[in-house]
Amino acid sequence: MKRFLDFLTNSPAAVTIAVLTVLGIVAFAIPGLHGAAWIIGLVLCLGMIAALLLFHGEWRRAQQQIDALRQQLSVERGRMDTLGLTPVEEAVELLPDEKRARRILELLPDSGGLVQSLRLDATFGTLAVNELEPLHTFCQEFKKSSFDNPRSHTAFMNLYRAAEGLSIWVNEETAVSADDSSTREIRPGDTREDGWREYTEARSRGERLSDDFVSSRWEFNQTALELGLVSGAPPFTD
């Protein structure tokens, strides 16, 4: 009741109705105006109708705003409940696609390792042996794998073909550095049949393969995020 009275107090239409009512009482209480009572009454009735229509519109708008605020409040409460009641990760049974996606992103993270090195090293000079191991592991472990979702499977196959091509290139075109056994570098031209021309071609092909690998890994990550296979969760461990 108090809210309704507050609404009437702040409603121009309600104030108009009240003013017209007072004017009507005053006008009919004055004897000198009785002769024009019907004209005054008609004017007051028309004003009252217009005020009632305005009041009805204000009431509907107010109710719509209240309903919208209630819905927003319900959504926010749901979010708070979800944050407060989210089960621990260990209690959630992951789907096969989720397990595969998390394992792949664990092997090929973008915050470090081979992906970051290829993205930052534009000269493509040397490759760290320990960063190449996850690449070979990925190619071996997921050689016969597939995803149930067609979209994630397409992204996975693009990544696998790019990784396999880069892995083969590394094995064929690079060798352990003579100065540092922890790195591999492209075999120099003086050890090749076609000399430095073959070296240049091999280097260019390696750069293309690394670009394809980095971009396909990014696309796979985006697809996994959009499909809800990963969402900032910790790396999957078997």
Side-chain angles (χ1 to χ4, degrees):
M1 185 65 182
K2 182 178 182 299
R3 294 181 179 178
F4 181 72
L5 293 176
D6 292 338
F7 173 77
L8 293 179
T9 304
N10 294 281
S11 171
V15 174
T16 302
I17 293 174
V19 171
L20 291 175
T21 301
V22 173
L23 290 177
I25 295 173
V26 173
F28 284 98
I30 299 175
L33 298 178
H34 287 174
W38 68 274
I39 297 177
I40 297 174
L42 179 61
V43 172
L44 291 176
C45 287
L46 292 175
M48 191 72 70
I49 292 172
L52 287 173
L53 292 175
L54 180 61
F55 178 79
H56 177 68
E58 292 179 351
W59 178 259
R60 288 186 60 185
R61 287 192 295 272
Q63 290 302 311
Q64 291 173 354
Q65 292 177 351
I66 292 173
D67 292 340
L69 290 173
R70 284 177 177 173
Q71 183 177 4
Q72 184 178 358
L73 179 61
S74 177
V75 171
E76 294 300 327
R77 284 178 175 174
R79 291 177 178 174
M80 293 177 64
D81 293 340
T82 301
L83 291 175
L85 300 177
T86 300
V88 293
E89 187 68 23
E90 290 75 14
V92 178
E93 181 66 25
L94 297 177
L95 298 175
D97 277 4
E98 294 175 327
K99 292 181 179 180
R100 298 184 190 101
R102 295 189 183 194
R103 174 58 176 164
I104 291 171
L105 296 180
E106 176 194 10
L107 285 171
L108 306 172
D110 62 354
S111 59
L114 181 63
V115 177
Q116 186 181 58
S117 295
L118 293 177
R119 189 169 57 238
L120 298 178
D121 186 7
T123 63
F124 204 74
T126 60
L127 297 169
V129 173
N130 62 340
E131 292 181 352
L132 291 169
E133 291 176 358
L135 174 69
H136 301 314
T137 300
F138 166 70
C139 293
Q140 182 63 32
E141 186 174 328
F142 288 88
K143 185 175 183 178
K144 298 181 180 180
S145 297
S146 63
F147 278 69
D148 298 329
N149 183 283
R151 185 180 169 195
S152 57
H153 180 69
T154 299
F156 161 72
M157 289 305 301
N158 291 337
L159 173 60
Y160 183 83
R161 282 190 289 265
E164 185 181 39
L166 182 60
S167 177
I168 294 174
W169 179 88
V170 168
N171 291 333
E172 294 179 348
E173 303 293 346
T174 70
V176 176
S177 174
D179 300 327
D180 185 0
S181 60
S182 65
T183 62
R184 294 182 70 95
E185 58 185 7
I186 305 176
R187 290 186 292 108
D190 52 15
T191 64
R192 295 174 178 268
E193 182 178 351
D194 291 338
W196 291 101
R197 182 176 65 85
E198 182 182 343
Y199 167 85
T200 302
E201 293 175 354
R203 186 187 186 97
S204 298
R205 189 160 63 91
E207 291 175 349
R208 290 195 301 270
L209 289 171
S210 67
D211 289 341
D212 292 342
F213 171 69
V214 171
S215 61
S216 62
R217 191 272 176 202
W218 182 88
E219 291 174 359
F220 176 80
N221 182 66
Q222 290 299 112
T223 301
L225 288 172
E226 292 172 4
L227 295 178
L229 302 181
V230 295
S231 57
F236 166 71
T237 55
D238 197 358

